[in-house]
Amino acid sequence: MADSTMNPAEAPKKRTSKKAGEQVGMAAPTVDSPAETAKGRFSKAIEEARAGAEALKGEALEKSAAYKAKVSGTTADWVDEAKVYAGQAKEKGAALAVEGKARASDALGTLGKTISETAGTIDEKLGVQYGDYARSAARSLQETAAKLEAKDLAELGEDVKEFVRKSPGVAIGVAAIAGFAIAKMLSGGSDD
């Protein structure tokens, strides 16, 4: 029979190593230092922050594009409305100008006719010379009324511009008198 006792040299030796996994042949898990763990977490946080910033940037670009489209649409609508209102104002202004031209022509004609009718009385009261002045003024007023009636608004505008260029002092005086007359008419002619 065989001897069951072993001698110490034959006995399996117990290995003592720093890592327990080496005895079995497994790789030991590596334990990171606290600084390496913090670095890893920080790097991961930075990556997540970058990804979040990219997502927010994309979302902001989408929203800004949507707002830009909305503003462009609103602006286009406002421009269209302004064009419509400008067209309406132009039409109304032209209608008022034609009406004003007709009224001014009628007023000048009526004034010329009145002066012409009173020329006889002026002859009797002041003399023939003053009656002739009245008739001449009446003729001038009636001719002016006829010219005013015959011209369109564009021609009248050019005539006014030419008059202002030739005699700006008279134009300012006429404008002041017209402004005063309009103010009197609008205030009802009441003197307080």
Side-chain angles (χ1 to χ4, degrees), residues 98-108 142-153 155-156:
V98 168
E99 183 181 333
K101 180 184 91 156
R103 284 187 180 185
S105 175
D106 290 344
L108 286 173
Q142 288 173 341
E143 288 172 2
T144 302
K147 287 179 186 176
L148 181 63
E149 188 66 34
K151 291 186 178 186
D152 68 352
L153 294 176
E155 289 175 318
L156 288 174

Side-chain angles (χ1 to χ4, degrees), residues 45-71:
I46 287 178
E47 288 176 20
E48 288 177 1
R50 283 183 183 156
E54 286 295 320
L56 287 175
K57 179 182 173 184
E59 187 177 329
L61 288 174
E62 289 174 11
K63 284 186 178 183
S64 69
Y67 288 136
K68 184 177 180 181
K70 185 177 180 181
V71 167

Side-chain angles (χ1 to χ4, degrees), residues 58-147:
E59 187 177 329
L61 288 174
E62 289 174 11
K63 284 186 178 183
S64 69
Y67 288 136
K68 184 177 180 181
K70 185 177 180 181
V71 167
S72 295
T74 304
T75 302
D77 292 343
W78 287 349
V79 167
D80 291 341
E81 285 181 36
K83 286 180 182 177
V84 168
Y85 289 138
Q88 290 173 349
K90 186 176 180 180
E91 289 173 9
K92 183 70 173 177
L96 288 173
V98 168
E99 183 181 333
K101 180 184 91 156
R103 284 187 180 185
S105 175
D106 290 344
L108 286 173
T110 303
L111 182 60
K113 186 177 178 184
T114 304
I115 292 173
S116 180
E117 289 173 355
T118 59
T121 308
I122 294 172
D123 283 342
E124 292 173 9
K125 302 258 180 177
L126 300 173
V128 178
Q129 181 183 9
Y130 294 107
D132 288 341
Y133 288 143
R135 283 188 226 8
S136 176
R139 256 191 319 277
S140 292
L141 286 173
Q142 288 173 341
E143 288 172 2
T144 302
K147 287 179 186 176

